[in-house]
Structures are given as structure tokens and as C-alpha cells.
Amino acid sequence: MSLVARNTLNLSRYIGVFLIILMFSISSYAQNAVYWVGGSGDWTDTNHWVKNSGGSNITGEIPNEDYIVIIDGNSGLNSGSTITIPPGEYSVHDLIVTNTSGFTLLFNGTSISNDVEMNIFGDLDLPSNLSVEFTSLSTTSNAWRFVDNTFHTIHTRNTDLINVELVSAGASYSLNSHYTTSVQTRMYGGTWNTNGRTVNAGKLLFNDGINPPQMSLTKIFNAGSSTINCDSWDSRLTYGSLTVTGNHFINTAKFVGSPVYQGNQFSFYEIRLLEYPDNPTGGSIVEHNNFECTDCLIENLIIEDTGRTKLAGKFTINGKLTVVNEGVSVEFSGGNGRSNQVTLNGIVVTPSVNGCDQRTVFKNVHNDFTSLMRSSGTLTISNAVLENIQASGGAGTNFILSNGVLQGSSTGWSLQNTPNAVDYLWFSPNGVQGDWDDPTNWMLVGGGSNGCVPSIVDDVHISDESKGDIRIPPNYTAECRDFLWTNKDGITLTLDGTSSLKSVLKVTGDFYTDPSANFVGANWHEVSFSSATNNAISANDVLLPDVSFSGDDGEWNLESPFSADEIEFIGGQFNSAGEDVTTDYWSCIEENPKHFVFNSSHIVVNGEMALSRTTNSGVTVSAGTSLITCEKLTSTVTNLYDVQLNNASSRTLDNYAYNFNSLILKGIGQVNTQNDLTVKDLVFEANGSSLALDMGEVLTINGGIISNTSSGNPGILKSRVNGTQVDIDKVAGNICVLGYVSFEDINAALSGVFNAPLGIDAGNNTDINYDNGTSTSDLYWIGESGSWLVNSNWSRVDGGCPSTKDPKNAPNLYFTSNSFSTSPATVTVPSATTANDVHFLNSDNLTVNVTINLTPNNIYVNGGYANFTGKLVTVLGSTTVQSSGFLTTDMTNTYRTNELESSGGAVIVRSGSYINVLRQ
């Protein structure tokens, strides 16, 4: 037999076998087909199920997964008929509806415990005019479920199935027509082939409910060239189990894609973001995003949304990023630990700016900045405002902003075609309050109108020509570059926000207001100073409502006193330039760099000054000689100048080692420390003001303590733990306490003297000297290097507080080891003076510079060191240098003494100096 004949015979055999199998299958399915009859009714009523079309041979049971269910022209149904499916779980192999009367198929589930599940083991074929209705639209109340690992043909002719679940991992779901589920389609597993058909869904959810370390079900969505229309796409929890293929087009209001998982990077062809609420309610604002797909590759992303569009996390666009509508704010969200990197390897298309069109805004939200990445080539963004958008690329990569504005920390951009400012004049035609966003309230400086309102690149003038008050409505941001208010008629600008809708005045340049200007802030509002350049603010102490400063490269210089209800700093440098600042609340947010140059300003915060809450707040301070007055200080910045606390209730300093020039306590509430505290001066300004030191921490005072309190209600310095001492120290020298202070549990640990002449011993104190010097007429030098003739350089107590007594009248003047904290030291005698007995007991290298003449009765160098320079010293009595004492003369005139006695000491006469001893 020939090879051809043998193959022909074999093929005939195979065809025969196939025909037998096919005939058996058709016969089997024909035997298992059931038909609906009798018009309206319940699915569970067995009287409606027969074995032949329109027949009366009742099956006696409802269909199951072995049956092909057919509802045809002989089913007795019309447009007013309803087949009701009661709560329960049902199965069919195929469901084929050829009846085209437009009857209703009602799923009557009401809850998760009273639900309807219709399991399809095979195919679904429905006419286009079938009405599918759910009693409850909850996805847990009613659902079509495609089950079994087989091939499912879905031919529903765009009938709204409302809620569908594609369940089986080994199944294939093939669309033979356009497909709609107005509530949700959830894919657990399997392969879904759209075959170019359009998919419409309320929500497309890819989630099998299996979490690592268990393996998720494989999901393949062969979208081909289909258009996918949905309210939301959610494939977040697929853990690398989902693949989407084809040059598909996804149109959705909210897209949450599959993040990279175990190196499996997800790709999409084209995503179009539709309208999405600008201010969704519920949950965290950080999680209100239009788009998130961590590490995804997107060919084209089209933003058709108006208002605000939020794109979260890290992703890459290889083709085109297109913004369709003018004035859209595209916000890159890096909140809750998300990456702040977006890679743009293709091009960016934004609407052109014509007439009154607003520029597209690309900005960062919920962290410091967003980096737009590109490895090579040139990225050009046109007609846009970039706010906290930093360019980052490889060598030779260019980033260009054309006809745009840089804001905040936007760096790495080359500017081209910089926009020109238009000068706008406020002029309400009727002289009454008008809205900022109404073009009829604006004229051009010099005359005429262009029918627009000022933009972020334009200058605003409120001049003597201006008429009528100004209102910025809620949910609106009024923008300008320079804001120049020279009108003196007392015009009022109202930021008319509501509790949920913000009213904003955004100024990106200089700011000037006449002292007669009035600002009113209602509910949620803000005057926003936002810039990437140097700007001047001259508010002339006009009280502004809530204000904020943002822009890492922005700098604001005060030219007059500045007052605001609340001040918030997000980024940039604030130079108070010696001008006073007054506010009810001061805060610094986010991690952007913020630098304050306070100079000699007085910063008054009637409430909390939250200078920096965390160490990564980005705050640095050049304190200058400023005074910060506040009710509460919150700061991780530890080096400030003068700080005054006006707290009415107990406050605790943050757990940082602060270093102030002066700490002034002017509140009646106790101030507590948690860490070491260093000050030059500690001042008790209010009766009963108190400082409590934490156990184990040290208060270092490099100057002294001053109390302006009464004897009956003194300042209080104590330990936070009763009965446990805390240390007070000084790097070198003595501490003088001027005024009434009560001490309790204090250990004066300094090497010098702690003298509190008016101090009150409240118990458990160590080494506090309460001597007021009334028992002696002698004086002790305490003036370090200073003038002999200044009374306050002398004390009645060795190392004690200053005296008012003239040193000429003291019987004895002493220089001791408590006289100097540094060596060498110089005491100057600026004019001719006299003294009684002078004693040098000091071990420090001391020079006494006599400019004219010093005439003491006697001089005793008792183990100390005295070097005389300058003019004439005349000792009327004797000069005694005892053991270990040193007397040195280095004078251009003469040291004269009636007698010179030495018992083991040394007298050194330097070249050019003379000692004249009258009696040898």
C-alpha cells in the first residue's frame, strides 16, 4: 500500500472517530438541555423547567452544572416578565437566552448571608435587550461566577451583568461581544481574552485573596487592542501573578496597579485618567490618589482629569505623558514612605497658554520633593509651573522648562521663553466687594482689560485707583507674582474659606501692604508665600491671617514688622532682619530645608512655637541676638539666643540639651527640663515662676541668676524629684544670684562660689553661700579683667555678688582664687585713686595696669601673683611679699614703697622699671 493511501486511510479513521465523539457530545448535551416555560416565576420553581422547548415534560428539579439552560421564544416571557432568582447558590453548565422580548432576570440576594451565586461552568450567551437586575448592588449579595477549569465563551452583547467573578485558575474566558459589569468584575485566576471587544466595568479587581507566602493564582489578561472603561482598576494585591498584554487602552478615574514583585515588573500600554474628585472624603488624604503603580512601566499616560490629579509612588513612562486640560494640578505623592522618583523617558505634552488659560502645575505633595529622572537626552516641559520638582539625569541629560515658573525646591532646570508679567489693577466696577476670580473686577495698569484674572506670573496692584473690597472665594487659589498694596482707603481683603474648602492667596514675589490695609481670614484659608527666588516683605505690621512659606530655594526678607494669626514654614530661608514678628502659632512641617536668620528680632508667639518637632525637620537657625517669647517651645534646634517662656501652666522642655544666652521665666507655670540645660543667665521674671531640673541632668550657668520676684513669692529652682539633688555648674568662675530665689534639692557643683544673698533655703541644698556680706567692710575683686574704680567689680563676699561700696572706703581689698575664671587677667586703674590695704592671694597671672597713680596704704602679696605696669604706684606703708608670692614691676615710671619686706617671696624688677624703697 502506498504512503498516500495509508495516510488517507488513517485520516478517514480519525475523522470517523471525531464524528462519533461529536455526535455523542451533541446527543449528551441535547439530553441535558432544560428549558424555561410558563412566563414569570422563581428559578427554584421546578414547574418552570421542562426537557423540550415550550413542552410540558417537567424535569422535577432545578438545573445544575450538568445542564444547558435555554430560555427561548417558547418560554412565555415578554417585556414585563421577570425570572426571579431567590437567595442561594445555583449552577448551570451553559446559560443560553435567545428570547429577545426584553424580560428581566432578577438576582434577589440582599446580603452576604442571604446572597445569590450563579455559577457558570461553561458558556454564557445573552441578548442585548435582556434586563439583569440585582436587588442589592453589594458585591457580596449577588454575583455571576465563572467556575471550572474549562473554556468559557461569554457572548452577552453588552448586557450589563452588574457583578461578575472569574474564578478558576485553569479556565479561559473569551469575549465574543462587548462586555459590561456596572459594579465590578473580579478576576481570581485564569486567562481572559477580550478579542478586541470593549470592556466596561464599575471596578476591575484582580485579587484572588491569597497572600504570600502562598502562591497566588495565575491571571492573564489578554487585552489586545481593547478599550477598557472602568471607574477604578485595582490589581495591587496580585503579587506578580497578573500579566496584561496587548496595546490596550485603559480609561479609568482611579488606577491602582500591580507593584513590582520578586523582580516581576508590570507593564501597561496606555492609561487615561478620567475625572476624579479633587477632595475625596474618608480615610487619609495621603491615600487619595488617582494613580499608583509602583515600579510599573507605562507606555502612555493621559491625564483627562480636571482640577487635581495625584500620581503616587515610583513609575516610568516610556512614551508620552499628556495633560489634556489647562490649569490641571498634577501632584506627585510621596507620602507614607513612597518613593519620590518618576522616570520620563519620552515626552511631556501640556496645553498651550492662550488668553486666560492657566498653566499646568506639576508639584510634589506629602514629602519634600519629587525627582523627575531621565538617563539621557532632553526632557522639555512647556507652559507649566514646577513646584518642588527636581531634575535628575545622567551626564549630558538636559531638562528644560519653557514658558514656565519654578517654585519651591525645583532645581536642575534650564529656563527658556520666560513668561512676561502683566500688571493688573483691582477695580470693582460698583465700588463694592468683588470676587478675585471675576475678570470684570480687574483692569490693566494703564487702562483697559484683557478679560482675565492675574496668574502666577503677573503682578497685582491695589492702588489709590482701586475701589471695593476683595473676596477670595472658597476652593480657589488667587495667584500673583508681586503683591503691591498702596491704597490708603482701608480696603479689606477676605479669604472666605469654609471648614472643608480652602481660600488661598499665593504670592510668588515681593509683598507690600500699606498700614491701612485689612486682611480677614475665614475658616480654612492661607496667605501662601511660595517662591524659588529672593523676595522682600513689607507688611508694615498689618495683621495677616494664616500664612505659610514654601520653597527650598526661596528667601524672604522682612523690611518692616510682621504679624500673622499663624505662621507655617514648609521650606526656604526667612530673614527677620531685626524686625519684630508676632503670631499666635509658629510651626515647621515636612522635611524640606528651612533656615531662619533672626538677627536682633523679637519673635513673639502667643501660643506654641513649634520650631522643629523632629530632628529630620530640616530646620537650622542663625539666632543672632534675638529674643523668642512664647508660651511653649518645641524645638530640636538647641542653640538659641534669648528665650522667654510665658507659660500659664506646667511645660516641659523637649529632651534635648539646650544652650541659650538667657532663659527668662515669665509664666506662673512650672518649667521642667528633661536634659542638660546651659544658659548664660537664668531670669525669674514673674512671681512664683519656677524651674524644675530633671534627675541626673545638669544646669550650667555661665553668667548668673537674676530674680525680679517678690520676697513673698520668689522664683523657685528645684529638683523634679523631691529629696533627690540635682547639680548646678559653671564652666569656670562664680555664680551670683540677684534677687529672691527659693532653692530645694540643689547641689552647687561648680568649683567657684555660688552666692545667693537673698536666697531662701527650702531644704536639701549643698554649697550654696547665702552670705550677704553685712558682717564685713572688706571687698573682694570679682570683676575678671576690668576697672578698679567700678564698684560692681567688687563684692563683700569672696566670689560673691557685686557690691555698691566704693573700694577706696574698704579697709581691705582682696584678690583671691575666686577673683578670676581665666588667666592671665588685667585690672586697670584708669585714674588716680587711693586704697587702704591691698591683698594679693590669687594664684592667677594678674596684671595691674596703673594709668596715672595708685596710692594704697599697704600691699600684701600673700602667696599670690601681682604684676604692676603703667605709671606710678605709691605705697604709703609697706610692701610685703610672703612665701611663694611674686611681685613684678614693669612700669614706665616708679614703684615707690615706704618699706619692702620679703619672707621667701620674689620681687622682680624688669628693665626700665624702678622700685624706690624709702626706708631701707
Side-chain angles (χ1 to χ4, degrees):
M1 183 182 296
S2 70
L3 179 63
V4 173
R6 185 182 298 112
N7 288 341
T8 302
L9 178 60
N10 290 337
L11 179 61
S12 299
R13 291 174 179 172
Y14 290 141
I15 292 174
V17 171
F18 174 76
L19 290 175
I20 292 171
I21 294 173
L22 179 62
M23 292 175 63
F24 175 80
S25 298
I26 293 175
S27 174
S28 174
Y29 280 143
Q31 291 174 2
N32 288 332
V34 294
Y35 296 82
W36 178 272
V37 294
S40 298
D42 287 348
W43 186 277
T44 55
D45 185 350
T46 59
N47 292 319
H48 286 282
W49 297 108
V50 296
K51 296 181 178 181
N52 56 309
S53 175
S56 58
N57 187 6
I58 298 174
T59 63
E61 59 180 353
I62 62 173
N64 57 41
E65 63 269 24
D66 295 327
Y67 287 94
I68 300 173
V69 173
I70 301 173
I71 304 174
D72 60 11
N74 296 319
S75 295
L77 300 168
N78 54 47
S79 60
S81 301
T82 300
I83 297 177
T84 301
I85 306 177
E89 183 177 357
Y90 306 94
S91 298
V92 299
H93 192 276
D94 299 339
L95 176 57
I96 302 171
V97 179
T98 60
N99 183 297
T100 58
S101 65
F103 73 93
T104 298
L105 184 62
L106 175 63
F107 286 57
N108 204 23
T110 57
S111 66
I112 190 172
S113 60
N114 203 40
D115 64 324
V116 171
E117 290 184 4
M118 178 59 72
N119 297 312
I120 308 294
F121 280 73
D123 302 335
L124 180 64
D125 193 331
L126 304 178
S128 61
N129 65 342
L130 174 66
S131 177
V132 176
E133 296 183 4
F134 285 9
T135 300
S136 169
L137 296 179
S138 169
T139 57
T140 58
S141 298
N142 298 282
W144 301 86
R145 304 179 77 247
F146 287 87
V147 298
D148 200 14
N149 294 326
T150 187
F151 186 90
H152 300 270
T153 298
I154 303 174
H155 193 188
T156 55
R157 298 173 177 83
N158 216 26
T159 295
D160 184 4
L161 302 180
I162 304 179
N163 182 37
V164 168
E165 296 178 357
L166 308 177
V167 177
S168 298
S172 178
Y173 316 98
S174 181
L175 300 186
N176 279 5
S177 63
H178 299 318
Y179 169 89
T180 297
T181 57
S182 58
V183 173
Q184 177 176 284
T185 293
R186 178 174 179 176
M187 187 176 188
Y188 289 77
T191 301
W192 184 3
N193 301 307
T194 64
N195 301 318
R197 269 64 176 200
T198 298
V199 174
N200 304 297
K203 181 176 184 178
L204 277 180
L205 175 62
F206 299 86
N207 187 337
D208 53 27
I210 302 173
N211 298 318
Q214 293 180 294
M215 186 71 68
S216 295
L217 302 180
T218 299
K219 292 169 275 291
I220 301 173
F221 185 26
N222 293 322
S225 60
S226 290
T227 296
I228 315 297
N229 301 311
C230 55
D231 295 331
S232 67
W233 170 295
D234 187 348
S235 58
R236 178 181 301 193
L237 302 179
T238 51
Y239 305 108
S241 66
L242 173 64
T243 301
V244 179
T245 67
N247 293 341
H248 48 271
F249 305 90
I250 301 173
N251 302 320
T252 181
K254 182 178 177 67
F255 184 93
V256 182
S258 310
V260 64
Y261 184 74
Q262 295 182 347
N264 184 10
Q265 195 169 24
F266 213 83
S267 298
F268 292 94
Y269 184 70
E270 182 170 294
I271 300 171
R272 182 181 296 263
L273 297 178
L274 307 177
E275 194 66 32
Y276 186 74
D278 288 345
N279 299 292
T281 58
S284 168
I285 189 174
V286 178
E287 300 303 323
H288 292 162
N289 302 304
N290 303 53
F291 172 92
E292 179 167 13
C293 194
T294 304
D295 282 314
C296 287
L297 301 176
I298 315 296
E299 184 63 26
N300 300 312
L301 180 63
I302 302 171
I303 299 174
E304 197 171 285
D305 186 20
T306 60
R308 299 170 61 221
T309 298
K310 287 177 67 177
L311 313 177
K314 180 182 179 183
F315 57 94
T316 297
I317 299 176
N318 287 323
K320 187 184 298 184
L321 171 61
T322 302
V323 180
V324 175
N325 298 297
E326 57 96 9
V328 171
S329 178
V330 180
E331 301 178 357
F332 298 100
S333 173
N336 287 343
R338 293 177 172 88
S339 171
N340 61 352
Q341 296 180 357
V342 174
T343 300
L344 299 178
N345 291 325
I347 64 174
V348 176
V349 178
T350 57
S352 59
V353 178
N354 298 308
C356 301
D357 292 342
Q358 297 292 310
R359 285 172 172 77
T360 301
V361 177
F362 293 97
K363 65 185 297 186
N364 163 270
V365 292
H366 307 314
N367 65 354
D368 294 345
F369 62 89
T370 292
S371 292
L372 291 188
M373 315 285 290
R374 189 183 183 96
S375 58
S376 62
T378 298
L379 175 65
T380 300
I381 298 179
S382 301
N383 313 312
V385 177
L386 305 186
E387 186 173 332
N388 298 326
I389 304 296
Q390 298 184 359
S392 179
T397 306
N398 300 307
F399 294 87
I400 297 171
L401 176 62
S402 177
N403 190 29
V405 179
L406 293 177
Q407 290 275 281
S409 60
S410 299
T411 58
W413 298 91
S414 298
L415 296 178
Q416 292 183 358
N417 305 316
T418 303
N420 296 318
V422 176
D423 289 287
Y424 284 87
L425 173 69
W426 174 261
F427 189 88
S428 178
N430 299 318
V432 297
Q433 185 186 72
D435 284 353
W436 181 294
D437 60 346
D438 184 351
T440 63
N441 292 321
W442 294 99
M443 297 177 58
L444 299 178
V445 172
S449 172
N450 62 2
C452 302
V453 299
S455 74
I456 197 170
V457 302
D458 301 322
D459 295 338
V460 165
H461 299 262
I462 304 171
S463 71
D464 290 338
E465 300 176 66
S466 299
K467 306 296 179 185
D469 293 337
I470 309 166
R471 175 180 176 265
I472 300 176
N475 201 31
Y476 183 77
T477 297
E479 296 179 321
C480 66
R481 187 180 67 173
D482 293 347
F483 182 90
L484 306 171
W485 187 322
T486 57
N487 181 282
K488 302 181 185 301
D489 298 333
I491 288 177
T492 296
L493 186 152
T494 300
L495 292 103
D496 199 15
T498 68
S499 59
S500 59
L501 298 175
K502 195 173 186 180
S503 172
V504 179
L505 170 61
K506 185 175 186 178
V507 180
T508 66
D510 294 340
F511 182 85
Y512 176 86
T513 57
D514 184 82
S516 65
N518 297 300
F519 286 81
V520 175
N523 299 302
W524 194 16
H525 65 276
E526 182 180 63
V527 176
S528 170
F529 295 100
S530 178
S531 181
T533 59
N534 192 298
N535 310 281
I537 296 180
S538 183
N540 288 301
D541 213 19
V542 171
L543 179 60
L544 301 178
D546 299 347
V547 304
S548 69
F549 293 86
S550 63
D552 293 6
D553 292 334
E555 184 174 339
W556 294 270
N557 303 283
L558 297 188
E559 296 183 350
S560 65
F562 186 82
S563 298
D565 289 341
E566 295 185 0
I567 304 178
E568 180 179 80
F569 294 93
I570 303 169
Q573 178 166 313
F574 181 80
N575 301 324
S576 61
E579 302 291 347
D580 292 345
V581 179
T582 304
T583 185
D584 289 337
Y585 180 70
W586 178 301
S587 66
C588 296
I589 65 172
E590 300 187 11
E591 299 178 6
N592 304 63
K594 296 168 278 289
H595 183 59
F596 299 102
V597 182
F598 286 148
N599 305 107
S600 59
S601 295
H602 185 188
I603 312 295
V604 179
V605 183
N606 296 319
E608 180 184 8
M609 184 174 193
L611 188 59
S612 59
R613 295 190 182 278
T614 62
T615 54
N616 60 354
S617 61
V619 174
T620 55
V621 176
S622 297
T625 57
S626 61
L627 168 61
I628 296 173
T629 297
C630 58
E631 201 275 340
K632 177 184 179 183
L633 176 66
T634 301
S635 178
T636 61
V637 176
T638 57
N639 291 314
L640 302 173
Y641 199 69
D642 291 341
V643 174
Q644 177 174 303
L645 299 178
N646 294 344
N647 52 301
S649 58
S650 178
R651 296 294 188 192
T652 299
L653 295 175
D654 292 331
N655 191 15
Y656 298 98
Y658 289 110
N659 192 332
F660 305 147
N661 179 67
S662 295
L663 175 60
I664 305 165
L665 306 179
K666 201 174 181 180
I668 61 174
Q670 179 172 293
V671 175
N672 305 303
T673 69
Q674 299 184 79
N675 207 314
D676 292 344
L677 173 63
T678 300
V679 298
K680 177 178 176 290
D681 294 318
L682 174 63
V683 181
F684 295 93
E685 194 64 41
N687 285 343
S689 51
S690 64
L691 178 65
L693 308 176
D694 204 14
M695 182 175 61
E697 311 302 339
V698 178
L699 169 61
T700 300
I701 299 178
N702 291 319
I705 299 176
I706 302 168
S707 178
N708 295 315
T709 64
S710 66
S711 60
N713 198 6
I716 301 171
L717 185 57
K718 64 177 185 177
S719 169
R720 289 183 70 179
V721 180
N722 291 336
T724 301
Q725 282 193 334
V726 289
D727 288 347
I728 296 181
D729 203 354
K730 187 171 186 176
V731 174
N734 314 305
I735 294 177
C736 168
V737 181
L738 296 176
Y740 297 101
V741 177
S742 171
F743 299 96
E744 183 177 1
D745 299 321
I746 299 298
N747 174 42
L750 63 160
S751 59
V753 177
F754 190 104
N755 183 220
L758 298 177
I760 301 167
D761 186 355
N764 195 31
N765 300 301
T766 305
D767 291 332
I768 297 178
N769 184 336
Y770 298 99
D771 189 354
N772 59 14
T774 57
S775 61
T776 181
S777 297
D778 297 336
L779 292 179
Y780 297 82
W781 178 261
I782 57 169
E784 302 285 350
S785 291
S787 173
W788 184 294
L789 300 182
V790 174
N791 295 353
S792 60
N793 284 335
W794 300 91
S795 173
R796 290 178 178 270
V797 177
D798 184 8
C801 293
S803 169
T804 59
K805 186 175 181 177
D806 190 332
K808 292 193 297 289
N809 301 324
N812 296 283
L813 299 179
Y814 290 94
F815 293 89
T816 74
S817 60
N818 293 317
S819 294
F820 307 99
S821 61
T822 59
S823 180
T826 299
V827 176
T828 301
V829 184
S831 61
T833 188
T834 63
N836 291 307
D837 292 351
V838 181
H839 304 263
F840 293 92
L841 308 177
N842 54 291
S843 58
D844 303 279
N845 188 342
L846 169 63
T847 296
V848 180
N849 182 30
V850 182
T851 58
I852 298 178
N853 186 14
L854 172 63
T855 307
N857 285 343
N858 298 289
I859 288 181
Y860 300 93
V861 184
N862 301 326
Y865 186 98
N867 177 38
F868 287 92
T869 64
K871 300 295 183 179
L872 180 63
V873 175
T874 302
V875 182
L876 299 178
S878 65
T879 298
T880 302
V881 181
Q882 295 184 348
S883 177
S884 301
F886 289 87
L887 173 65
T888 302
T889 65
D890 192 2
M891 310 177 69
T892 58
N893 209 313
T894 304
Y895 182 100
R896 296 175 181 173
T897 181
N898 196 41
E899 292 185 54
L900 177 62
E901 298 179 6
S902 176
S903 58
V907 178
I908 302 172
V909 181
R910 299 192 184 281
S911 175
S913 177
Y914 298 91
I915 291 183
N916 187 353
V917 181
L918 299 181
R919 285 193 294 176
Q920 298 293 328

